[in-house]
Amino acid sequence: MKRLFLIPALLLFLLPAGTKGQASEDFDWFPGGTYDSSIPTPSSFLGYTIGDAFTPHHRLEAYLGAVAEASDRVSLGSYGKTNEGRDLLFVTITSPANHARLEDIRQNMGRLADPRGASQADLDAVVQGSPAVAWLSYSVHGSESAGTEAAILTVYQLAAGTDAVTQSILDELVVLIDPASNPDGRARVVHSFQKRQGMTYSANPDSWEHGSDWPGGRSNHYLFDLNRDWSWQTQRETQQRTVEYLRWNPVVHVDLHEMGGDSYFFFPAATPVHGAIPDVVMKWQEIYGEGNARAFDQFGWPYYTKIGFDMYYPGFGDSWPSMMGAIGMTYEQGGGSSVGIAIERDDGTTHTFRQRAHGHFTTSMATLRTTAENREERLADFLAFFRHALSLGDGPVKSYALVPGPDPYNALQFVDLLTRQGIEVSAASEAFTARVARGFGLHETPSSKEFPAGTFLVEASQPKGVAVQMLMEPQPILEDTSFYDLSGWALPLVYNVESYMLGEAPGVALTAVTDLPTPDGGVVGGRGEYAYAIPYNGTSALLAAVQLLNHGVSVKAAGDAFTTQGREFPAGTFLLPVYRNPDNLHELVHEIAGHFGVPAYPINTGLVEEGDDLGAGSYESLKKPRIAVAAGQSAGGFGEVWNFFDQAYPFFDYTNIDASRLGNMDLSKYDVLMVGGANLASALGDRGVEN
């Protein structure tokens, strides 16, 4: 066992910060690097060399702020906050001259990403004269914590470097750095290590300090893997990052991870690669791989490509940027992602946190150098990607038609997901008939079909056409029998929306969807003297009923269909009697039915023409469900249930209960127990299962 001595953690925060104007150490991470001594080095500010300690989020933010204050190349911002209130830090680095025209550069990237209406001369001028934008993301899995340390090194190199390579990067690029994509997860890891560390670091892999408290740092606050969320946008970190990403349209995006072993993986990707990804993306994966290889060859470090990490599933930090026009790539640093400053391997060698940070710093700089040296060609091919996307309408599928139906809730959620990713969606102003190439799921494929007004259209030919194809197609083709993640995700099926591929452009006026339409809802007619009826047509009606229960309204459900005042109501209709309900029932029904876009029909008598009269026992009273959620370490995937109730549908009363307590408590007060995880039964034991 090898042991490395350290300064006690408390003293690290008592050491004086570096004095502006001088460097306290030689920055020996970058071959041939020379530096401006007025920029504080990481060690002079933090009090330790990168790799000798874990940098907490508040110290990361403080150092980046100090660099931004000292350098006219750097600006520090935030693209949002996490669920635990930490800033999602965002660093912009380029030459002072480029900083003065950042908005022009951003708009130039937008012109290339949507060349419609631009002259060839204008596009050529952008390609020839505008800097490109590169985006580096670190530690989306917080337990893969060397990435954030590498981000610190990269920021310093770009802020202080005076060598020709660094100067070229600053002149040719705007570099965007997300130094900690999952601050909440990483904070758990850092805190866990600080709690477990002693006066010395142990390299023994059996040591307690190499572990981490549950739930570890891989996931975010709601225990979601953010590296699977890029396309699905369920988490606020993803949602906020996407807004900033679409503002900048980077030509390259690197997602830096860690893995086991002692080698390093960088692209080209393994197979399968999704068939919608155009060849120009694969061309640049080869170019970036060659640049990374040259940088690693200088040190004699091991590396490999084209094995293990494919680019098929669209939810990753490589595939999602790739379908948005960037060269999206995953880099994996070997050495293990377990917590620790050093770890002894089976062959007797020791792999250090410093080495892991150095590997990621090296590929970061190599990627930027490759982009800078090939800026004009990279921008030209970036433009070619979007011209390819705009040509996809020349194929057999011209557009995708989404029919909202009687319950438009799912369709609106679907459209919201698409538009938040920059995908263009339009709504038909009137009914139309179009030739159908194919229906989704159980919906047949007629030769032609009439579509109602309000049908949503997603054209195949649009700047985000590659993303449309990847997210919508029902049967993507696998070129291999092995893949890293999911094999199917067609969104019309996921959202259960009646959808069709159209073989011709609809001959109807279309209105671009910029804000989600609000479904018509509210009281239909006058005041209900006896009751109100809300037909149960789907999710919107259900949520309206739950919200009425939350306001103390007595809600009944019809066991059978009935007809009253000439209108037929199906079984399941929600009935809101005036009797024994709050005095403000009429106002509540008007407000809540309008909010959820459902019709509430006034009823003036308890007698019906068909079915049971409204005072019969077949109309059962509903009650608010009392929901218990099995939570904690032994509850498996409880984070998804937690997120469902806490974020997606915050209309229900629920209680997270540690699963280990379920065998010893009175559960009779709850109506529903939500459980997840295949090992829950063994975790509860016989007594818990019986309870």
Side-chain angles (χ1 to χ4, degrees), residues 38-179:
S38 69
I39 309 301
T41 63
S43 64
S44 68
F45 186 91
L46 298 171
Y48 52 84
T49 298
I50 291 296
D52 288 350
F54 287 82
T55 304
H57 191 73
H58 69 283
R59 295 291 287 160
L60 166 68
E61 187 168 10
Y63 176 67
L64 297 179
V67 172
E69 182 178 355
S71 172
D72 57 1
R73 305 173 179 177
V74 181
S75 61
L76 174 64
S78 167
Y79 61 81
K81 286 188 177 293
T82 69
N83 290 290
E84 297 176 11
R86 294 181 177 87
D87 279 314
L88 292 160
L89 301 171
F90 194 60
V91 187
T92 305
I93 312 179
T94 189
S95 68
N98 288 339
H99 253 296
R101 60 185 189 113
L102 277 180
E103 183 58 23
D104 287 341
I105 295 170
R106 189 185 68 78
Q107 290 185 10
N108 284 339
M109 295 305 302
R111 289 187 184 94
L112 298 183
D114 183 3
R116 294 173 298 185
S119 69
Q120 186 61 49
D122 287 343
L123 295 173
D124 288 343
V126 172
V127 168
Q128 294 163 11
S130 184
V133 174
W135 185 309
L136 305 176
S137 295
Y138 300 85
S139 297
V140 68
H141 295 148
S143 55
E144 299 169 9
S145 44
T148 294
E149 310 298 333
I152 294 173
L153 299 174
T154 306
V155 168
Y156 174 73
Q157 177 68 42
L158 296 175
T162 57
D163 54 274
V165 172
T166 303
Q167 291 286 356
S168 174
I169 291 171
L170 296 168
D171 291 338
E172 301 293 332
L173 307 180
V174 173
V175 181
L176 306 176
I177 293 180
D178 182 350

Side-chain angles (χ1 to χ4, degrees), residues 223-240:
L223 311 184
F224 273 69
D225 184 337
L226 295 175
N227 192 41
R228 269 81 177 162
D229 194 47
W230 284 74
S231 290
W232 320 132
Q233 305 274 310
T234 69
Q235 300 302 294
R236 66 181 300 171
E237 294 93 339
T238 312
Q239 296 163 5
Q240 294 171 117

